[in-house]
């Protein structure tokens, strides 16, 4: 999936952050509200940094349905990054899409990382499949 902002428009180019996006790491504590305030590209770079801090090598995808591809010695995870406001939850169709898109790129599993949260049906569907759901609170704990 292509990352979208609160209005759902992913076609506008994002201004480059003042710091090097490749060096984003989880060394600074970030609260969930701060994640929602990030521009979509900044949020994607933060997610990439969080996976790198967890021991993955991360490839940033510039096109296609997968935003990040994270690999370590034992697995490859296709990551769908969703930069949403607090009132915009990720729903169950996104789980199906992430799973299919992950399979298309040969990943072992898929993950959806959002700056918001997930609907109940999305959580139920993900629990039955190989899709990890990472909401703003969980991502914040990774970055602490």
């Amino acid at each position: 999936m292509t990352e979208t902002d609160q209005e759902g428009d992913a076609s506008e180019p994002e201004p480059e952050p003042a710091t090097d996006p490749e060096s984003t790491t989880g060394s600074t504590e970030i609260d969930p509200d701060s994640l929602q305030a990030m521009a979509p590209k900044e949020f994607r770079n933060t997610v990439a940094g969080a996976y790198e801090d967890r021991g993955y090598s991360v490839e940033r995808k510039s096109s296609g349905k997968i935003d990040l591809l994270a690999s370590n010695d034992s697995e490859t995870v296709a990551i769908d990054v969703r930069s949403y406001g607090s009132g915009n939850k990720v729903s169950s169709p996104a789980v199906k899409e992430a799973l299919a898109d992950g399979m298309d790129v040969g990943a072992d599993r898929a993950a959806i990382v959002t700056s918001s949260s997930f609907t109940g049906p999305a959580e139920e569907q993900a629990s039955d499949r190989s899709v990890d759901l990472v909401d703003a609170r969980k991502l914040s704990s990774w970055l602490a």
Side-chain angles (χ1 to χ4, degrees):
M1 281 303 121
T2 304
E3 62 203 64
T4 58
D5 62 13
Q6 297 172 53
E7 290 80 36
D9 183 6
S11 61
E12 296 286 326
E14 293 296 321
E16 290 296 321
T19 59
D20 179 8
E22 302 297 319
S23 67
T24 302
T25 64
S27 61
T28 304
E29 186 171 335
I30 298 176
D31 67 58
D33 292 334
S34 295
L35 294 171
Q36 292 171 0
M38 289 180 179
K41 189 171 186 176
E42 180 184 9
F43 181 67
R44 183 177 84 157
N45 288 330
T46 298
V47 172
Y51 274 86
E52 289 167 347
D53 288 347
R54 297 176 74 77
Y56 290 86
S57 172
V58 178
E59 178 185 347
R60 289 156 175 83
K61 307 298 258 181
S62 59
S63 63
K65 298 178 179 182
I66 298 298
D67 296 302
L68 304 169
L69 201 57
S71 302
N72 64 18
D73 291 338
S74 61
E75 68 178 350
T76 300
V77 182
I79 305 168
D80 178 1
V81 178
R82 303 277 178 126
S83 180
Y84 286 171
S86 63
N88 191 5
K89 295 182 177 185
V90 178
S91 61
S92 59
V95 175
K96 288 180 189 176
E97 293 169 6
L99 184 59
D101 296 342
M103 291 174 68
D104 285 348
V105 297
D108 298 304
R109 60 190 175 93
I112 303 173
V113 182
T114 184
S115 56
S116 183
S117 59
F118 298 91
T119 63
E123 291 173 346
E124 288 176 32
Q125 193 166 46
S127 70
D128 294 337
R129 294 171 171 82
S130 297
V131 180
D132 298 330
L133 301 183
V134 180
D135 64 11
R137 290 184 190 274
K138 186 172 186 177
L139 180 58
S140 288
S141 73
W142 287 5
L143 299 171

